[in-house]
Amino acid sequence: MTPDITHDVSRHRFETTVDGEHCALDYETLRDTMTITHVVVPEPVSRRGIAAALMQAALGYARKQGWHVVPSCPYAAYFVEKNPEWSGLVAKE
């Protein structure tokens, strides 16, 4: 199941609702950098690939914008580490 993810640009948020549970990825931007600050998937719907789908949506958007990404939340860092196809987006320190 691929969740229907929406992007609220004004709130810097990707979100979806699965089985009545609100799931979200929050980010901040500064110039050409997206910092992923939170990925939240409630326990009742966890382990279904929802967090990964939110990450893919956010990273795809960042790539389209030509931005670098700073995965500051633990899940975002884990996801980028485990999915090297996105590593080229990670901002160099």
Side-chain angles (χ1 to χ4, degrees), residues 39-90:
V39 179
V40 178
V41 176
E43 186 63 32
V45 295
S46 66
R47 296 175 202 36
R48 294 189 194 179
I50 300 165
L54 289 165
M55 284 293 298
Q56 290 171 349
L59 293 171
Y61 181 74
R63 180 175 280 160
K64 189 183 225 184
Q65 299 301 313
W67 293 344
H68 297 289
V69 174
V70 176
S72 72
C73 88
Y75 179 78
Y78 168 82
F79 182 87
V80 171
E81 179 182 321
K82 295 297 182 187
N83 295 277
E85 66 270 22
W86 298 108
S87 64
L89 291 178
V90 176

Side-chain angles (χ1 to χ4, degrees), residues 5-85:
I5 296 172
T6 59
H7 183 197
D8 186 337
V9 176
S10 66
R11 293 178 61 206
H12 295 154
R13 174 176 279 190
F14 289 86
E15 55 194 339
T16 189
T17 301
V18 177
D19 294 344
E21 299 287 343
H22 184 257
C23 309
L25 177 150
D26 294 318
Y27 66 93
E28 298 172 357
T29 58
L30 180 61
R31 293 184 286 282
D32 66 345
T33 302
M34 170 192 272
T35 301
I36 299 174
T37 57
H38 297 96
V39 179
V40 178
V41 176
E43 186 63 32
V45 295
S46 66
R47 296 175 202 36
R48 294 189 194 179
I50 300 165
L54 289 165
M55 284 293 298
Q56 290 171 349
L59 293 171
Y61 181 74
R63 180 175 280 160
K64 189 183 225 184
Q65 299 301 313
W67 293 344
H68 297 289
V69 174
V70 176
S72 72
C73 88
Y75 179 78
Y78 168 82
F79 182 87
V80 171
E81 179 182 321
K82 295 297 182 187
N83 295 277
E85 66 270 22

